[in-house]
Amino acid sequence: MSERNQEDELAGTEQPFVAHLVELRDRLVKALVAVGVVAGVLALYPGPGALYDLLAAPLVAHLPKGATLIATSVISPFLVPLKILLMAAFLIALPVVLYQVWAFVAPGLYSHEKKLVLPLVVSSTILFFAGVAFCYFFVFGQVFSFIQSFAPKSITAAPDIEAYLSFVLTMFIAFGMAFEVPIVVVVLARMGFVTIAKLKEFRPYFIVTAFIIAAVVTPPDVVSQLALAIPMVLLYEVGIWAAQVFIKHTKAPEEKEPAAAD
């Protein structure tokens, strides 16, 4: 790309430092307003209590008949549903938050850089949500069923709501981040840190690493460990394929060689 084209591409994007700070503030305010609006809507319907009931449904479905979750702290029935409300509001408003981030940084990027960043932002968001959904709709049911099958008949399970929230957040983050494996692979390959051939050679080591990570971040049961490790291995293969496609379509335009002096 010629120097003139580069100048045209970034024309009008240079702003004083104070103007950047003002724009950053405005973007942050818009993101916070989006989260606040969603939180207000969720507070009215379905409400914090109903949101927690929805989150606890996979566990409650596998508790003994008549058993419920308990609150061991006086303020837990208020604080825990409120935390769930804010978490749900942030997740629902996440596309707006990410758009504000993108709108702030995009004017300073070249065209080939935009082709690199925007797909990564969108795909990483989708993959994170996919990981959370996979954990909630599939993993929780299998894990809680497996755990309850080992519970002695002399024990009545009554989990604490705060402990359950901590468990859920840990699992959501673990599966959400695990589903980001293709993004990590693509970025490493695109930035030139590793080659596609090296990624393929590393495949056996990654399989071992995936099972080690699953054993560390999930409960000590084989169901949740397999449910995390196997998708990571499959997503690693997806990442290798995506890296090849991504590198091909996001290369920077080649600079023209200056003419040799006579």
Side-chain angles (χ1 to χ4, degrees):
M1 179 183 293
S2 66
E3 184 176 346
R4 176 58 183 276
N5 288 339
Q6 292 181 2
E7 292 176 355
D8 291 342
E9 200 170 5
L10 293 177
T13 61
E14 297 182 1
Q15 300 180 32
F17 180 70
V18 175
H20 280 297
L21 290 180
V22 171
E23 183 182 2
L24 177 61
R25 179 203 62 188
D26 293 340
R27 297 293 180 187
L28 289 174
V29 169
K30 291 178 181 178
L32 290 174
V33 168
V35 175
V37 169
V38 175
V41 173
L42 292 177
L44 295 175
Y45 180 83
L51 286 175
Y52 190 89
D53 290 339
L54 180 64
L55 189 67
L59 175 60
V60 173
H62 293 87
L63 290 177
K65 186 176 182 180
T68 61
L69 280 75
I70 62 172
T72 56
S73 173
V74 175
I75 59 175
S76 291
F78 170 75
L79 285 182
V80 173
L82 183 61
K83 292 177 182 179
I84 296 297
L85 174 69
L86 294 176
M87 181 186 73
F90 177 77
L91 290 176
I92 295 175
L94 188 58
V96 177
V97 175
L98 292 176
Y99 172 78
Q100 296 303 325
V101 175
W102 170 251
F104 178 73
V105 302
L109 300 177
Y110 292 109
S111 294
H112 67 275
E113 292 173 331
K114 292 179 182 179
K115 292 179 181 178
L116 172 67
V117 176
L118 183 57
L120 291 178
V121 171
V122 174
S123 57
S124 62
T125 304
I126 294 174
L127 286 171
F128 185 85
F129 280 128
V132 172
F134 177 75
C135 180
Y136 178 83
F137 289 105
F138 175 75
V139 177
F140 280 171
Q142 303 300 319
V143 170
F144 297 146
S145 176
F146 179 81
I147 292 175
Q148 290 302 317
S149 67
F150 278 84
K153 295 185 181 297
S154 58
I155 296 177
T156 300
D160 177 65
I161 60 174
E162 287 191 82
Y164 179 69
L165 174 61
S166 176
F167 170 81
V168 166
L169 291 179
T170 301
M171 292 290 284
F172 279 174
I173 293 173
F175 277 85
M177 296 305 295
F179 272 58
E180 299 293 330
V181 167
I183 304 300
V184 176
V185 172
V186 168
V187 171
L188 290 176
R190 179 62 181 82
M191 299 301 293
F193 293 114
V194 292
T195 63
I196 300 298
K198 288 293 183 182
L199 288 171
K200 293 179 179 179
E201 291 177 7
F202 187 72
R203 184 183 288 119
Y205 302 99
F206 181 82
I207 294 174
V208 175
T209 303
F211 277 90
I212 293 175
I213 293 174
V216 172
V217 303
T218 60
D221 66 275
V222 66
V223 176
S224 58
Q225 292 174 10
L226 289 175
L228 181 61
I230 292 176
M232 286 181 66
V233 173
L234 296 177
L235 289 168
Y236 183 78
E237 297 297 327
V238 173
I240 294 176
W241 171 81
Q244 299 177 66
V245 176
F246 199 73
I247 291 173
K248 179 180 178 181
H249 290 87
T250 59
K251 288 183 178 179
E254 295 180 357
E255 298 288 343
K256 290 184 178 180
E257 294 291 337
D262 293 332

